[in-house]
Amino acid sequence: GPSGSGKSTLIALLAGLDVPDEGEILVDGVVFSRLSREARAAFRRDRIAFVGQSPGLSGFLGARENVELGLALRGIGGVEAHERSNEAVAAVGLAEHASRRVDALSAGQRERVAVARALAAGPGVIVADEPTARLDMAATLALGGLFADLARGHGTTFVCATHDPVLIGLADAEVRLGS
């Protein structure tokens, strides 16, 4: 949908960051929107990952360290966090940049670090708000292809809010929102 059509609001509802005024949000048979704030946070921690319009990364940390930080916030540390981080960074094609500071990476690479952080958590659903907004055509194609590959390879569902025709063209399904 175009700007102002409610894409970001819908994404916030699907990610459990907000609750609807009416209706329900159902995820894996759970009426997610009826859960308390704490229960929604626990559900989200275990089953949903969110990639916002701004990747929210720590620029002075490396790519892998940013992924490990995300896991630490989910209560996952030690060897498991290190292994998951390495796998996720490799899955998004950044293994050779795993130790590189995020502030030295391109916008497309930073977006992939944010996806790696989400993927490492092992969620069934990754919700992304305008993930290609700051990317050029090549980076958009790469990120969209990555989403498709990860969905097929990991069984993860990606829900993206976008008005980017390139990303829409790579999707399995499209829902249009009007303004």
Side-chain angles (χ1 to χ4, degrees):
S3 295
S5 63
K7 296 183 307 295
S8 293
T9 299
L10 179 59
I11 287 296
L13 290 167
L14 294 175
L17 301 173
D18 201 356
V19 292
D21 294 332
E22 297 179 28
E24 299 174 333
I25 305 293
L26 184 71
V27 178
D28 287 339
V30 175
V31 182
F32 187 46
S33 55
R34 287 191 193 157
L35 299 177
S36 69
R37 182 177 178 190
E38 294 79 16
R40 272 195 329 275
F43 187 90
R44 190 173 49 248
R45 180 183 60 241
D46 294 339
R47 298 167 86 182
I48 298 171
F50 177 71
V51 179
Q53 288 187 30
S54 171
L57 302 170
S58 178
F60 64 89
L61 294 177
R64 182 180 43 246
E65 291 171 317
N66 267 278
V67 175
E68 289 175 347
L69 178 60
L71 290 171
L73 293 172
R74 292 173 181 264
I76 302 166
V79 173
E80 182 180 359
H82 189 72
E83 289 174 358
R84 282 189 186 198
S85 296
N86 281 332
E87 289 172 11
V89 168
V92 300
L94 291 175
E96 69 277 6
H97 299 293
S99 298
R100 197 165 171 204
R101 285 174 54 135
V102 167
D103 60 7
L105 298 175
S106 71
Q109 290 169 325
R110 287 191 299 272
E111 199 66 44
R112 286 192 278 161
V113 173
V115 171
R117 184 181 53 202
L119 185 64
V125 179
I126 295 177
V127 179
D129 191 8
E130 299 283 2
T132 60
R134 292 168 307 283
L135 305 183
D136 62 22
M137 178 72 73
T140 295
L141 286 168
L143 188 64
L146 173 66
F147 284 177
D149 291 345
L150 293 173
R152 290 181 191 98
H154 290 267
T156 303
T157 298
F158 283 83
V159 179
C160 298
T162 188
H163 57 269
D164 184 333
V166 174
L167 190 59
I168 293 167
L170 295 169
D172 290 334
E174 173 187 1
V175 175
R176 288 189 175 268
L177 299 179
S179 53

